[in-house]
Amino acid sequence: MTASPTSLPAVVLRVPTHEDARAWHGAFDDPDVMEFLGGPTELSMYEELTARQRMHDAQLGYCLWTLLDSHGQVIGFTGAQPWPAEKAWGPVGEIEIGWRLARSAWGKGYAYAAALATLERVRAAGLERVVAMINDENHRSIAVAERLGMTLADRFPLPAGRGHARRYELTLAAG
C-alpha cells in the first residue's frame, strides 16, 4: 500500500479484490463520473476489470489499484496498465496511467494525490515513461496531468466521431 504526502489528502492504493468490483460499480454508476467514458456500465464489466488488474499486478507489478481514502472507503481507482492492443486507436504499446473517482471525491485533491502515488509505484516497477489519454473536454483530468508535469504529445480522434483525446506523456526520472 502507498500513502500520499502529508500536504495532500491521505490515499491508500491496494490491488483490487473481487469485492471491489461492486465498490467500483457503485462509485462509477453516475453519468457525471462516466461522462467521457460512454456512460455508466454493468457490474460484469467491473468484475472483468478487477480480475484483469489482479493479473496485471501479478505479471507487471502495477495495475489499476483500488483507491481508498483515510477512512478505508473505496473512492475510485488509480494506476497504470498497458493500452489495449485490441483498440484500433490510441497509444498501442504504451503504458497508460489514469484515475477515476466517485463524484463525492471530486475537488478534494484525491486525483492528484493518487496520481503521484501511481507515479511513485510505476517508477519503482522500472517504467521509464508513461502516457495519459484524456478526452479534450475533460478539463479536470487535463489539469491533473499538467500538474504532474506531463506534456501534451498528440491528439487522437475518438471512435465514432465522438471528439478527440489528448495523449500526455511523462518521462520518469530514476528514483
Side-chain angles (χ1 to χ4, degrees):
M1 293 188 197
T2 300
S4 67
T6 57
S7 62
L8 296 170
V11 295
V12 175
L13 282 55
R14 72 165 187 230
V15 175
T17 64
H18 178 71
E19 294 77 23
D20 285 339
R22 286 195 184 281
W24 288 9
H25 181 256
F28 307 144
D29 192 28
D30 179 320
D32 288 339
V33 171
M34 299 298 289
E35 176 182 5
F36 305 110
L37 300 166
T41 190
E42 299 297 319
L43 174 62
S44 61
M45 195 283 297
Y46 293 107
E47 291 169 338
E48 187 278 328
L49 183 59
T50 55
R52 185 169 5 112
Q53 298 315 310
R54 289 189 295 277
M55 180 189 71
H56 284 325
D57 186 72
Q59 293 176 347
L60 305 171
Y62 54 86
C63 65
L64 295 178
W65 295 287
T66 294
L67 176 59
L68 305 161
D69 67 12
S70 63
H71 304 289
Q73 294 297 118
V74 174
I75 58 172
F77 66 62
T78 186
Q81 65 178 348
W83 185 264
E86 59 273 8
K87 287 190 177 182
W89 65 280
V92 174
E94 301 273 6
I95 303 301
E96 181 193 27
I97 64 167
W99 44 87
R100 187 182 310 168
L101 277 66
R103 177 72 181 94
S104 62
W106 289 5
K108 299 175 182 174
Y110 286 116
Y112 182 63
L116 285 174
T118 292
L119 292 177
E120 178 183 310
R121 282 190 170 197
V122 298
R123 187 178 292 112
L127 292 181
E128 296 177 1
R129 194 171 95 84
V130 293
V131 300
M133 290 294 290
I134 304 172
N135 185 294
D136 270 352
E137 302 299 317
N138 189 343
H139 303 291
R140 292 180 302 273
S141 282
I142 289 169
V144 171
E146 291 177 352
R147 187 172 177 198
L148 291 171
M150 300 186 88
T151 57
L152 179 61
D154 203 357
R155 288 180 71 234
F156 290 88
L158 292 168
R162 297 178 310 166
H164 286 82
R166 299 174 182 205
R167 179 175 61 87
Y168 283 86
E169 60 184 36
L170 180 66
T171 300
L172 301 173

